[in-house]
Amino acid sequence: KPADLESFQNHLRYSDRVLALCGAGLSAASGLPTFRGAGGLWRSYDAVSLATPEAFARDPGLVWQFYSYRRHMALQAQPNPAHYALAALARRKKGFLTLSQNVDGLSQRAGHPASRLHLLHGSLFDIKCTAFYCNYTESNNFTDPIAPALAIPKGGPSPASLGTATSGAGATESLQHAMHGAGSKPQGGKELDISDDRVEMPEIDAKDLPHCPRCGDGLLRPGVVWFGERLPEKIINEVDNFIEEPKKIDLILVIGTSAQVYPAAGYIDKARAKGARVAVVNMDRADTGRGGLEKGDWFFEGDAGVLVPELLKSEIGDISNT
Ligand code: APR
């Protein structure tokens, strides 16, 4: 065993309170694109025109098509061994919490106990009402809310039926067509401004978009945190309560994140301030987050899908048969 794996596993063994801060790199092995690396979503799509409240106010149909596409991709993906390994650790280690920036639902589908999983940026499968006076939300919504508006058979893709559903594929194809011109896939690495005249959007009239079943007039929106929005108060409080407890934090595992988006990335500094050692798992040696590595940190370079089960094996045993 390499020395650093040995020292890491010893530390993990004697750690009472452990955090994992996860990003898109955790789901890369499941085939989902990250945001900022090559092929990343924000290199193919213009985040400002798709992932902000202003974008939704300006063109809710466009934003819904982007999220319908991401929901479909997430439902077609499968959790990878790293998702299963974190779920196994959460079941075994009382003082362990996963803070995930991912909205893809893969940690949940890997059986991660919900009480130990905090979704800092919400979930693609949560839906909520935009009327300020209405607090309607729904979770685990797997039927594509804009399938009717995209004039494809109602019901949309569900986790089980995805392999066969034409409607899901239809939605994705029509979106890809809309976003990138006929038949092409997102151009990884090329900035694509959505207002590019090559891209004709199937206009969806707001009246055809899903409206709130409770208040009747608010448009429904994806239950994810957009740029410029605050993280869910409840989540912030729960995480801060865990961190502020008088006991120290022994370890924070930073998995597959560029650690550039705050307040999520700030949990690394908060954990350090509570005495935590830091272990970074990242494909890119240069990407150790804005704070960078400090003396005594571990850096494990490679695919989280392979490394995380390896790192946690001393605690959870061999889960490769999952
Ligand atoms: N294994 C481990 N790390 C990986 C892998 C992999 N297979 N593939 C990519 N990475 C690393 C990249 O090197 C990068 O450091 O994962 C990180 C992904 O960074 P981003 O694309 O910036 O994604 P993330 O950090 O999750 O973004 C944070 O920004 O856009 C918002 O809300 C969005 O939650 C997202 C937040």
Side-chain angles (χ1 to χ4, degrees):
K1 262 188 205 172
D4 53 357
L5 178 60
E6 186 93 42
S7 65
F8 169 81
Q9 290 181 334
N10 280 338
H11 187 76
L12 176 60
R13 163 75 37 76
Y14 297 105
S15 292
D16 292 331
R17 298 195 326 127
V18 178
L19 285 173
L21 176 68
C22 305
L26 172 68
S27 297
S30 299
L32 291 183
T34 60
F35 292 96
R36 294 171 181 82
L41 272 177
W42 300 147
R43 296 168 73 96
S44 315
Y45 296 100
D46 171 9
V48 174
S49 65
L50 291 166
T52 60
E54 296 74 21
F56 190 77
R58 188 174 54 244
D59 188 345
L62 172 70
V63 173
W64 259 121
Q65 290 188 67
F66 178 59
Y67 281 92
S68 168
Y69 171 59
R70 290 185 61 192
R71 287 162 56 102
H72 182 70
M73 285 200 300
L75 286 171
Q76 280 192 312
Q78 297 306 324
N80 67 59
H83 293 109
Y84 287 109
L86 288 166
L89 185 65
R91 281 193 292 272
R92 283 164 180 72
K93 203 169 192 60
K94 211 170 54 57
F96 173 68
L97 277 192
T98 293
L99 312 181
S100 182
Q101 301 171 88
N102 298 338
V103 295
D104 56 35
L106 292 180
S107 282
Q108 299 91 305
R109 285 167 57 195
H112 196 300
S115 60
R116 307 294 190 72
L117 173 64
H118 291 297
L119 302 177
L120 303 177
H121 296 161
S123 166
L124 289 171
F125 305 102
D126 290 352
I127 306 272
K128 64 184 190 182
C129 178
T130 52
F132 69 91
Y133 50 80
C134 176
N135 56 10
Y136 176 78
T137 59
E138 49 187 82
S139 52
N140 299 326
N141 163 303
F142 294 110
T143 51
D144 189 342
I146 65 163
L150 278 175
I152 50 179
K154 243 178 148 16
S158 66
S161 70
L162 270 175
T164 53
T166 48
S167 58
T172 305
E173 282 318 309
S174 68
L175 177 71
Q176 245 155 28
H177 175 88
M179 295 283 186
H180 295 282
S184 64
K185 298 276 178 237
Q187 319 297 328
K190 192 172 83 51
E191 278 304 319
L192 180 89
D193 174 0
I194 217 72
S195 56
D196 183 322
D197 54 14
R198 272 185 311 106
V199 177
E200 86 284 348
M201 294 300 306
E203 283 301 313
I204 299 185
D205 193 304
K207 70 175 175 26
D208 297 327
L209 289 171
H211 283 73
C212 177
R214 180 182 297 165
C215 72
D217 56 356
L219 264 181
L220 294 181
R221 58 165 276 189
V224 297
V225 177
W226 280 328
F227 290 106
E229 292 188 315
R230 297 175 52 76
L231 274 59
E233 207 61 43
K234 179 172 169 296
I235 303 270
I236 297 275
N237 294 337
E238 283 165 4
V239 176
D240 284 350
N241 290 343
F242 178 89
I243 291 180
E244 302 317 328
E245 277 176 38
K247 292 176 290 225
K248 76 186 277 254
I249 293 195
D250 303 290
L251 172 67
I252 181 165
L253 260 172
V254 181
I255 303 171
T257 179
S258 59
Q260 290 170 30
V261 171
Y262 284 73
Y267 288 121
I268 303 170
D269 314 317
K270 286 186 175 177
R272 276 195 199 282
K274 294 286 288 185
R277 299 267 312 258
V278 176
V280 175
V281 175
N282 201 301
M283 185 69 106
D284 177 350
R285 177 137 211 102
D287 216 345
T288 56
R290 205 160 80 172
L293 289 178
E294 294 181 15
K295 197 172 150 350
D297 290 354
W298 291 274
F299 184 91
F300 297 102
E301 181 175 3
D303 173 15
V306 172
L307 285 177
V308 172
E310 191 57 39
L311 289 175
L312 304 186
K313 194 180 280 186
S314 51
E315 294 300 300
I316 61 175
D318 185 350
I319 60 154
S320 54
N321 54 358
T322 304

PDB file of all heavy atoms in Angstrom, residues 36 61 70 74 81 106 125 144 162 166 188 195 219 223 258 279 290 302 306:
ATOM      1  N   ARG A  36     -16.692  22.514 -15.495  1.00  0.00           N
ATOM      2  CA  ARG A  36     -15.654  23.446 -15.939  1.00  0.00           C
ATOM      3  C   ARG A  36     -14.518  22.781 -16.708  1.00  0.00           C
ATOM      4  O   ARG A  36     -13.744  23.447 -17.346  1.00  0.00           O
ATOM      5  CB  ARG A  36     -15.111  24.217 -14.717  1.00  0.00           C
ATOM      6  CG  ARG A  36     -16.183  25.122 -14.132  1.00  0.00           C
ATOM      7  CD  ARG A  36     -15.826  25.765 -12.803  1.00  0.00           C
ATOM      8  NE  ARG A  36     -16.950  26.580 -12.374  1.00  0.00           N
ATOM      9  CZ  ARG A  36     -18.017  26.078 -11.742  1.00  0.00           C
ATOM     10  NH1 ARG A  36     -18.066  24.770 -11.452  1.00  0.00           N
ATOM     11  NH2 ARG A  36     -19.033  26.845 -11.406  1.00  0.00           N
ATOM     12  N   GLY A  61     -39.125  28.449 -20.864  1.00  0.00           N
ATOM     13  CA  GLY A  61     -39.161  27.269 -21.740  1.00  0.00           C
ATOM     14  C   GLY A  61     -37.758  26.778 -22.063  1.00  0.00           C
ATOM     15  O   GLY A  61     -37.474  25.583 -22.057  1.00  0.00           O
ATOM     16  N   ARG A  70     -30.924  17.534 -18.713  1.00  0.00           N
ATOM     17  CA  ARG A  70     -30.031  17.092 -17.639  1.00  0.00           C
ATOM     18  C   ARG A  70     -30.700  16.002 -16.797  1.00  0.00           C
ATOM     19  O   ARG A  70     -30.055  15.055 -16.363  1.00  0.00           O
ATOM     20  CB  ARG A  70     -29.618  18.275 -16.761  1.00  0.00           C
ATOM     21  CG  ARG A  70     -28.679  19.231 -17.462  1.00  0.00           C
ATOM     22  CD  ARG A  70     -28.186  20.314 -16.548  1.00  0.00           C
ATOM     23  NE  ARG A  70     -27.437  19.774 -15.407  1.00  0.00           N
ATOM     24  CZ  ARG A  70     -27.096  20.514 -14.353  1.00  0.00           C
ATOM     25  NH1 ARG A  70     -27.453  21.787 -14.295  1.00  0.00           N
ATOM     26  NH2 ARG A  70     -26.415  19.994 -13.362  1.00  0.00           N
ATOM     27  N   ALA A  74     -29.236  12.308 -16.321  1.00  0.00           N
ATOM     28  CA  ALA A  74     -28.972  11.780 -14.970  1.00  0.00           C
ATOM     29  C   ALA A  74     -29.704  10.458 -14.756  1.00  0.00           C
ATOM     30  O   ALA A  74     -29.168   9.511 -14.172  1.00  0.00           O
ATOM     31  CB  ALA A  74     -29.404  12.800 -13.917  1.00  0.00           C
ATOM     32  N   PRO A  81     -19.027   3.086  -8.312  1.00  0.00           N
ATOM     33  CA  PRO A  81     -18.551   2.545  -7.026  1.00  0.00           C
ATOM     34  C   PRO A  81     -18.263   3.606  -5.966  1.00  0.00           C
ATOM     35  O   PRO A  81     -18.422   3.353  -4.767  1.00  0.00           O
ATOM     36  CB  PRO A  81     -17.264   1.799  -7.428  1.00  0.00           C
ATOM     37  CG  PRO A  81     -17.519   1.360  -8.840  1.00  0.00           C
ATOM     38  CD  PRO A  81     -18.308   2.491  -9.455  1.00  0.00           C
ATOM     39  N   LEU A 106     -27.579  10.628  -8.020  1.00  0.00           N
ATOM     40  CA  LEU A 106     -26.887   9.334  -8.031  1.00  0.00           C
ATOM     41  C   LEU A 106     -26.521   8.848  -6.624  1.00  0.00           C
ATOM     42  O   LEU A 106     -26.585   7.651  -6.355  1.00  0.00           O
ATOM     43  CB  LEU A 106     -25.639   9.397  -8.925  1.00  0.00           C
ATOM     44  CG  LEU A 106     -25.936   9.564 -10.421  1.00  0.00           C
ATOM     45  CD1 LEU A 106     -24.637   9.628 -11.230  1.00  0.00           C
ATOM     46  CD2 LEU A 106     -26.815   8.435 -10.945  1.00  0.00           C
ATOM     47  N   PHE A 125     -34.439  16.497  -9.417  1.00  0.00           N
ATOM     48  CA  PHE A 125     -35.721  15.788  -9.294  1.00  0.00           C
ATOM     49  C   PHE A 125     -36.600  16.398  -8.211  1.00  0.00           C
ATOM     50  O   PHE A 125     -37.588  15.824  -7.803  1.00  0.00           O
ATOM     51  CB  PHE A 125     -35.457  14.291  -9.097  1.00  0.00           C
ATOM     52  CG  PHE A 125     -34.602  13.769 -10.200  1.00  0.00           C
ATOM     53  CD1 PHE A 125     -33.243  13.546 -10.015  1.00  0.00           C
ATOM     54  CD2 PHE A 125     -35.118  13.620 -11.466  1.00  0.00           C
ATOM     55  CE1 PHE A 125     -32.428  13.145 -11.060  1.00  0.00           C
ATOM     56  CE2 PHE A 125     -34.320  13.217 -12.534  1.00  0.00           C
ATOM     57  CZ  PHE A 125     -32.965  12.985 -12.327  1.00  0.00           C
ATOM     58  N   ASP A 144     -41.059  13.737 -16.706  1.00  0.00           N
ATOM     59  CA  ASP A 144     -40.550  14.970 -17.291  1.00  0.00           C
ATOM     60  C   ASP A 144     -41.641  16.045 -17.332  1.00  0.00           C
ATOM     61  O   ASP A 144     -42.607  15.924 -18.072  1.00  0.00           O
ATOM     62  CB  ASP A 144     -40.069  14.675 -18.726  1.00  0.00           C
ATOM     63  CG  ASP A 144     -39.335  15.889 -19.287  1.00  0.00           C
ATOM     64  OD1 ASP A 144     -39.528  16.984 -18.715  1.00  0.00           O
ATOM     65  OD2 ASP A 144     -38.589  15.735 -20.259  1.00  0.00           O
ATOM     66  N   LEU A 162     -36.277   3.990 -18.649  1.00  0.00           N
ATOM     67  CA  LEU A 162     -35.481   4.844 -19.533  1.00  0.00           C
ATOM     68  C   LEU A 162     -34.905   4.112 -20.722  1.00  0.00           C
ATOM     69  O   LEU A 162     -34.824   4.638 -21.815  1.00  0.00           O
ATOM     70  CB  LEU A 162     -34.352   5.506 -18.729  1.00  0.00           C
ATOM     71  CG  LEU A 162     -34.849   6.831 -18.183  1.00  0.00           C
ATOM     72  CD1 LEU A 162     -33.842   7.456 -17.304  1.00  0.00           C
ATOM     73  CD2 LEU A 162     -35.232   7.732 -19.336  1.00  0.00           C
ATOM     74  N   THR A 166     -39.191   6.072 -25.561  1.00  0.00           N
ATOM     75  CA  THR A 166     -38.814   6.925 -26.707  1.00  0.00           C
ATOM     76  C   THR A 166     -38.992   8.391 -26.272  1.00  0.00           C
ATOM     77  O   THR A 166     -38.310   9.269 -26.695  1.00  0.00           O
ATOM     78  CB  THR A 166     -39.774   6.666 -27.890  1.00  0.00           C
ATOM     79  OG1 THR A 166     -41.100   6.704 -27.351  1.00  0.00           O
ATOM     80  CG2 THR A 166     -39.487   5.307 -28.497  1.00  0.00           C
ATOM     81  N   GLY A 188     -18.132  19.853 -26.610  1.00  0.00           N
ATOM     82  CA  GLY A 188     -17.317  19.971 -25.377  1.00  0.00           C
ATOM     83  C   GLY A 188     -16.217  20.987 -25.598  1.00  0.00           C
ATOM     84  O   GLY A 188     -15.581  21.016 -26.638  1.00  0.00           O
ATOM     85  N   SER A 195     -27.430  32.297 -27.551  1.00  0.00           N
ATOM     86  CA  SER A 195     -28.168  33.217 -28.458  1.00  0.00           C
ATOM     87  C   SER A 195     -27.601  33.072 -29.873  1.00  0.00           C
ATOM     88  O   SER A 195     -27.965  33.776 -30.775  1.00  0.00           O
ATOM     89  CB  SER A 195     -27.955  34.665 -27.982  1.00  0.00           C
ATOM     90  OG  SER A 195     -26.547  34.900 -27.940  1.00  0.00           O
ATOM     91  N   LEU A 219     -45.443  29.507 -11.901  1.00  0.00           N
ATOM     92  CA  LEU A 219     -44.759  28.527 -12.775  1.00  0.00           C
ATOM     93  C   LEU A 219     -43.951  27.590 -11.877  1.00  0.00           C
ATOM     94  O   LEU A 219     -43.356  28.045 -10.897  1.00  0.00           O
ATOM     95  CB  LEU A 219     -43.777  29.265 -13.699  1.00  0.00           C
ATOM     96  CG  LEU A 219     -44.202  29.648 -15.096  1.00  0.00           C
ATOM     97  CD1 LEU A 219     -43.044  30.345 -15.819  1.00  0.00           C
ATOM     98  CD2 LEU A 219     -44.602  28.391 -15.877  1.00  0.00           C
ATOM     99  N   GLY A 223     -35.868  22.338  -8.809  1.00  0.00           N
ATOM    100  CA  GLY A 223     -35.492  22.619  -7.413  1.00  0.00           C
ATOM    101  C   GLY A 223     -33.987  22.596  -7.211  1.00  0.00           C
ATOM    102  O   GLY A 223     -33.472  21.928  -6.305  1.00  0.00           O
ATOM    103  N   SER A 258     -13.902  21.416  -8.154  1.00  0.00           N
ATOM    104  CA  SER A 258     -12.897  22.468  -8.386  1.00  0.00           C
ATOM    105  C   SER A 258     -12.878  23.431  -7.204  1.00  0.00           C
ATOM    106  O   SER A 258     -12.045  24.325  -7.134  1.00  0.00           O
ATOM    107  CB  SER A 258     -13.237  23.221  -9.685  1.00  0.00           C
ATOM    108  OG  SER A 258     -14.541  23.784  -9.552  1.00  0.00           O
ATOM    109  N   ALA A 279      -8.194  15.571   2.686  1.00  0.00           N
ATOM    110  CA  ALA A 279      -7.776  14.620   1.647  1.00  0.00           C
ATOM    111  C   ALA A 279      -8.515  14.977   0.364  1.00  0.00           C
ATOM    112  O   ALA A 279      -9.744  15.030   0.358  1.00  0.00           O
ATOM    113  CB  ALA A 279      -8.125  13.190   2.070  1.00  0.00           C
ATOM    114  N   ARG A 290      -9.484  26.473  -4.480  1.00  0.00           N
ATOM    115  CA  ARG A 290      -8.955  27.842  -4.403  1.00  0.00           C
ATOM    116  C   ARG A 290      -7.975  27.960  -3.231  1.00  0.00           C
ATOM    117  O   ARG A 290      -6.965  28.619  -3.342  1.00  0.00           O
ATOM    118  CB  ARG A 290     -10.106  28.836  -4.204  1.00  0.00           C
ATOM    119  CG  ARG A 290      -9.739  30.224  -4.712  1.00  0.00           C
ATOM    120  CD  ARG A 290     -10.951  31.044  -4.961  1.00  0.00           C
ATOM    121  NE  ARG A 290     -11.470  31.598  -3.713  1.00  0.00           N
ATOM    122  CZ  ARG A 290     -12.466  32.495  -3.704  1.00  0.00           C
ATOM    123  NH1 ARG A 290     -13.049  32.859  -4.823  1.00  0.00           N
ATOM    124  NH2 ARG A 290     -12.906  32.963  -2.588  1.00  0.00           N
ATOM    125  N   GLY A 302      -6.528  10.870  -9.582  1.00  0.00           N
ATOM    126  CA  GLY A 302      -7.139   9.819 -10.407  1.00  0.00           C
ATOM    127  C   GLY A 302      -8.651   9.935 -10.385  1.00  0.00           C
ATOM    128  O   GLY A 302      -9.219  10.913  -9.893  1.00  0.00           O
ATOM    129  N   VAL A 306     -12.739   5.130  -9.039  1.00  0.00           N
ATOM    130  CA  VAL A 306     -11.797   4.047  -8.693  1.00  0.00           C
ATOM    131  C   VAL A 306     -11.177   4.302  -7.320  1.00  0.00           C
ATOM    132  O   VAL A 306     -11.097   3.404  -6.482  1.00  0.00           O
ATOM    133  CB  VAL A 306     -10.675   3.989  -9.765  1.00  0.00           C
ATOM    134  CG1 VAL A 306      -9.585   3.028  -9.349  1.00  0.00           C
ATOM    135  CG2 VAL A 306     -11.264   3.619 -11.114  1.00  0.00           C
TER     136      VAL A 306
END
